[in-house]
Amino acid sequence: MHWQTRRFSLDLNRPRVMGIVNVTPDSFSDGGRHDDTRTAIAHCERLVAEGADILDLGGESTRPGAPRVDTDSEWARIADVLAAAVTMGVPVSVDTYKSDVMRRALDTGADIINDVQALQLPGALAAVAGSGAGVCLMHMRGEPASMMDLALYGDVVGEVGTFLARRAQAARESGIPAECIVLDPGYGFAKSGEHNLRLLAGQQRLVELGYPLLVGWSRKRTLGDITGRAVDQRLAGSLAAALRAVCAGAKVLRVHDVAATVDALKVWAAVDAATIPPIK
Ligand code: HH2
């Protein structure tokens, strides 16, 4: 199983780590930490040194209630960081739902477009089709400002699955090859804590759609609700959710804490590789 991106074909026979670089003043867990070009580039270098397989750059927060950022401001935040990141030897993803930002990112050498709106906004499918870029199509409803009002589901796994299957089909019909597509259940997006947990418990059903799954549980609110921990103390919860997601078929983990996640996956892989002698 592979994820075809512009410059790299990622072997997904082992789970991969996507390191988050939010070049924003207001992201929910790291807003303002690397929102200038110099510190953002240094953060990219650090995540690659820690073992990130992919970098994911974002210039607009999508936390619940986040305000929109206009195209030029979003692009101004990430442009120079992207130009530096594409020289670091790993595929670089840009987290955006705006077709103009997608086009500029692809012109600057981005390998992947990560769209929390699953290429639904006008011009998004056309911006990516023909580029050879990998895409991550994520489930959400509405917009970050209002999405939690839309957290109403009967069968959350089934409804998310139906949506993702439709978006993958639309992407393919627009000319994006199947091997470029990964799907994401969108943990925390228009979903209550209960929905997120049901979705993770039933995540294996989404694997049956036939595309690799990418998941983002890192530091999210549901982990705080379960553990009572503040956003900067959710590493243990994030690792537990990440490994549970791998158990349920996830192939790419979108995380803030790259070094710890890489270690956790090394332990997982070591157990997988252990040979079991027969009982005599
Ligand atoms: N979560 C966030 C942003 N982008 N993309 C994908 N594919 N999956 C996710 O779960 C996902 C995502 C939110 O996390 P973060 O980037 O840390 O925060 P913010 O949106 O506040 O910048």
Side-chain angles (χ1 to χ4, degrees), residues 13-14 265-277:
N13 287 311
R14 73 171 170 90
L265 289 174
K266 278 184 184 163
V267 174
W268 179 288
V271 178
D272 264 356
T275 51
I276 309 164

Side-chain angles (χ1 to χ4, degrees), residues 18 20-24 26-31 56 58-64 66 93 95-96 114-116 136-139 144 182-189 214-220 254-256:
M18 172 186 257
I20 302 169
V21 182
N22 284 321
V23 197
T24 58
D26 59 342
S27 286
F28 81 95
S29 83
D30 56 356
D56 188 38
E60 176 179 327
S61 171
T62 51
R63 73 186 189 286
S93 159
D95 185 347
T96 187
N114 170 26
D115 184 359
V116 299
C136 176
L137 305 175
M138 196 195 82
H139 175 272
V182 310
L183 304 178
D184 182 341
Y187 291 107
F189 287 85
L214 181 155
V215 300
W217 266 98
S218 188
R219 302 182 186 172
K220 282 189 177 165
R254 182 180 181 277
V255 304
H256 303 89

Side-chain angles (χ1 to χ4, degrees), residues 203-218:
Q203 188 188 272
Q204 193 72 46
R205 275 169 67 196
L206 301 179
V207 174
E208 289 158 24
L209 297 173
Y211 296 91
L213 290 185
L214 181 155
V215 300
W217 266 98
S218 188

Side-chain angles (χ1 to χ4, degrees), residues 210-234:
Y211 296 91
L213 290 185
L214 181 155
V215 300
W217 266 98
S218 188
R219 302 182 186 172
K220 282 189 177 165
R221 182 186 298 180
T222 301
L223 303 172
D225 293 343
I226 296 168
T227 60
R229 301 283 180 193
V231 73
D232 58 348
Q233 291 171 5
R234 295 181 187 158

Side-chain angles (χ1 to χ4, degrees), residues 28 65 67 92 97 115 125 141 167 169 186 190 197 215 237-238:
F28 81 95
V92 181
Y97 56 85
D115 184 359
L125 282 168
R141 287 178 174 170
R167 293 313 301 158
Q169 189 57 30
L197 296 175
V215 300
S238 300

Side-chain angles (χ1 to χ4, degrees), residues 62-83:
T62 51
R63 73 186 189 286
R68 272 170 163 265
V69 173
D70 68 75
T71 300
D72 288 337
S73 307
E74 183 181 336
W75 177 244
R77 288 177 181 176
I78 63 167
D80 292 343
V81 185
L82 174 60

